[in-house]
Amino acid sequence: MENVDICIRGNGIVGSTLALLLSRLNLRVALIGNFQAAKLPDIRAYAINAKSKSILESIHAWPTEPSCTEVQQIRVSSDEGELIEFAHELMGSNAAAPLSWIVEVDALEAELAKALKLSSVQCVPYSASLESSSESSSKRSPSRANSSLSHLSTVPAPLTVICEGSSTRVLGKENLNTYINTHTKRTPYHQFALATHVTFKNPDQKHWGIAHQWFNSFNNAPAASVPPESQKEFEILALLPIGGSSGNTFAVVWSTSEKRNHELALLSDAELTQALAQSSKNVFPDLVAVSARQSWPLALSSAAAWCGRSSAKESWVLCGDSAHSVHPLSGMGLNLGLGDAYALYELLHTREKEHLTWRPLSELRLLRSYERQRKLAILPYVQFIDKIQLLFASGYPIAKLIRNQGFKAFNALGGLKEWTIKKAMQANF
Ligand SMILES: Cc1cc2nc3c(=O)[nH]c(=O)nc-3n(C[C@H](O)[C@H](O)[C@H](O)COP(=O)(O)OP(=O)(O)OC[C@H]3O[C@@H](n4cnc5c(N)ncnc54)[C@H](O)[C@@H]3O)c2cc1C
């Protein structure tokens, strides 16, 4: 394990993709992660946009049907029943293209693992026992986690890329092989996302490639001592079509308060069918659970510095959820992370193409240009997602008025809808 140029820590989707992209350059790449076959299954399915699809195709890691499903239409409903529909016509000259693709996480990870085996990337197992799941969210007030982080195994290299996901900041601070001097600002959303799979009771019914999302709010029992914004229960229910174009199954992402998350996780299958009927405003009265339920705490997070020196000849840089995480309401987190990976690859590709390899990989000027570019690129998306979440989470009547009038106005402005969907498709660079 000597003479490694780039050490990537974390073999999630972002770390593995970056390793495969960089292995196309004249660089020796090591990837540290959990490569055990007996990993717990991940029930999630991700909405992937066209840019991310092309990145994954370029490294031969794009899953085919039935693990990948084209989205032909998206229907979003507000808490007052206003409906926004996104369909093909909005794509203008590219009208035949799907709006996005829903890809099952396990299938995508399996494709990446296959591609890694065929590549020159050196895969190094790390001690997964350090991984912490203690990411419980508490208050919405911003908290500052000091991440003078780092942990276990690392391979000495001029450049270390941290792709350890949002758990980066909660890992142990001992065994500091690499010193990463940054702060992660973490703002819990007060919500958990429950993921599961459901299917139509009637096997002849299909999902027709339509993704659905409901922004719901309902009153809790009022209490004089509780401010109005806390008396409201707010949830986002998303049903994403999976199983291919003729499939009849949805991947559920249900973002709710922690209390409701616990309740939903404990419902019997029949009770879950009922809860889904209620939250989908009876659009789907008969969806049946077909898988286990898993939950994730949700937070907005961003690291202050995305790169720095760890020693005189070594530097580090952050990529993916280690640098930023967002609410899954718009299905953007991984798309932004893949954009980070591609931007870093492009930078190092240019270094090679323009015969600039005399510039050390640890050079901060190089890494800072990546940091600047990515921070600027993701800012509008992160702010948009956060504002939408805040607007719907608020119990104040003015917020209710704004969001429902906003839905109406948005629907009436065809040009704005078209712009939004095109932006979402391109949202990587
Ligand atoms: C419910 C839910 C639904 C979502 N849906 C979407 C969606 O539809 N579309 C979308 O784009 N995004 C979505 N996201 C966001 C998406 O999950 C993340 O943005 C994405 O997983 C980030 O990938 P990553 O590789 O950066 O981090 P991770 O997926 O967290 O991977 C990090 C990896 O690093 C490993 N690791 C940790 N510490 C170390 C260490 N010290 N050494 C070595 N390895 C280590 C971990 O084992 C893990 O494999 C969703 C998120 C949630 C919670």
Side-chain angles (χ1 to χ4, degrees):
M1 204 40 66
E2 277 170 13
N3 300 325
V4 165
D5 296 308
I6 299 193
C7 166
I8 299 169
R9 291 198 347 205
N11 68 329
I13 297 171
V14 173
S16 303
T17 301
L18 178 64
L20 287 162
L21 286 169
L22 294 179
S23 70
R24 304 199 299 215
L25 304 180
N26 192 18
L27 292 168
R28 287 152 301 187
V29 180
L31 176 66
I32 302 180
N34 179 4
F35 297 97
Q36 284 161 3
K39 233 180 80 198
L40 279 177
D42 191 328
I43 204 75
R44 286 175 295 179
Y46 290 156
I48 301 287
N49 67 21
K51 288 282 184 189
S52 298
K53 177 176 183 266
S54 71
I55 295 171
L56 293 165
E57 277 172 340
S58 76
I59 53 169
H60 308 291
W62 182 247
T64 49
E65 280 216 15
S67 305
C68 161
T69 304
E70 293 183 353
V71 177
Q72 310 296 351
Q73 208 181 99
I74 302 172
R75 293 183 182 166
V76 186
S77 307
S78 79
D79 50 349
E80 295 272 285
E82 289 296 329
L83 178 71
I84 297 179
E85 289 185 14
F86 296 95
H88 275 153
E89 305 81 68
L90 293 171
M91 294 307 295
S93 57
N94 204 8
L99 298 175
S100 70
W101 291 260
I102 307 297
V103 173
E104 291 175 44
V105 172
D106 277 351
L108 177 52
E109 287 181 343
E111 292 298 328
L112 286 164
K114 242 193 288 175
L116 279 169
K117 275 197 184 132
L118 299 173
S119 76
S120 60
V121 175
Q122 304 179 49
C123 295
V124 186
Y126 92 114
S127 164
S129 61
L130 271 195
E131 216 169 312
S132 165
S133 57
S134 65
E135 273 197 7
S136 65
S137 63
S138 49
K139 297 194 172 77
R140 217 207 117 83
S141 59
S143 65
R144 256 174 188 274
N146 184 343
S147 44
S148 305
L149 315 156
S150 199
H151 0 269
L152 251 209
S153 47
T154 192
V155 173
L159 181 59
T160 296
V161 190
I162 313 290
C163 302
E164 295 170 1
S166 47
S167 61
T168 291
R169 90 207 131 261
V170 293
L171 290 173
K173 291 178 189 159
E174 286 121 41
N175 295 316
L176 298 184
N177 295 326
T178 312
Y179 187 79
I180 302 164
N181 189 15
T182 187
H183 293 280
T184 299
K185 184 175 170 191
R186 184 176 159 77
T187 311
Y189 276 118
H190 253 334
Q191 284 200 319
F192 276 65
L194 178 121
T196 190
H197 292 179
V198 293
T199 192
F200 290 105
K201 199 178 265 173
N202 173 358
D204 294 333
Q205 264 181 287
K206 308 280 177 224
H207 54 53
W208 304 119
I210 304 173
H212 304 260
Q213 194 173 35
W214 291 264
F215 288 78
N216 294 329
S217 63
F218 38 91
N219 280 320
N220 277 326
S225 57
V226 181
E229 68 271 28
S230 309
Q231 289 178 17
K232 282 271 175 194
E233 183 78 43
F234 157 67
E235 66 170 26
I236 307 170
L237 169 64
L239 297 181
L240 310 173
I242 56 170
S245 51
S246 56
N248 60 358
T249 303
F250 288 107
V252 177
V253 184
W254 206 340
S255 306
T256 67
S257 67
E258 185 172 1
K259 179 171 164 278
R260 182 152 161 83
N261 175 273
H262 283 312
E263 289 164 3
L264 291 175
L266 294 174
L267 293 182
S268 67
D269 287 353
E271 287 167 334
L272 189 77
T273 300
Q274 232 177 352
L276 280 166
Q278 206 173 18
S279 285
S280 70
K281 309 277 167 51
N282 243 4
V283 174
F284 293 106
D286 58 354
L287 291 173
V288 187
V290 284
S291 79
R293 296 167 212 169
Q294 297 172 345
S295 293
W296 284 262
L298 303 179
L300 174 75
S301 73
S302 66
W306 286 28
C307 63
R309 281 232 180 263
S310 39
S311 71
K313 289 193 174 160
E314 293 182 355
S315 294
W316 55 269
V317 65
L318 303 181
C319 235
D321 273 22
S322 287
H324 49 77
S325 69
V326 293
H327 196 287
L329 71 89
S330 68
M332 285 299 291
L334 176 66
N335 289 299
L336 295 173
L338 291 175
D340 297 346
Y342 198 78
L344 194 55
Y345 158 75
E346 274 201 320
L347 200 73
L348 299 178
H349 186 207
T350 306
R351 172 182 169 272
E352 202 168 284
K353 225 172 37 188
E354 296 183 358
H355 308 292
L356 297 171
T357 43
W358 51 269
R359 286 177 75 175
L361 286 163
S362 59
E363 191 188 277
L364 275 187
R365 209 151 57 102
L366 194 74
L367 302 176
R368 286 211 180 105
S369 75
Y370 156 79
E371 175 178 354
R372 266 195 310 276
Q373 183 198 337
R374 288 312 294 161
K375 278 185 172 171
L376 264 179
I378 70 165
L379 188 69
Y381 299 103
V382 172
Q383 287 191 335
F384 175 75
I385 294 164
D386 193 44
K387 297 290 175 295
I388 294 278
Q389 203 280 341
L390 279 175
L391 189 63
F392 277 89
S394 172
Y396 287 110
I398 185 72
K400 187 171 177 175
L401 187 73
I402 293 170
R403 62 192 181 230
N404 286 296
Q405 291 305 320
F407 255 71
K408 277 196 189 120
F410 187 84
N411 233 351
L413 294 170
L416 180 62
K417 260 167 83 171
E418 188 179 330
W419 180 86
T420 308
I421 197 72
K422 283 186 179 155
K423 274 285 182 202
M425 291 283 285
Q426 304 300 323
N428 264 328
F429 309 108

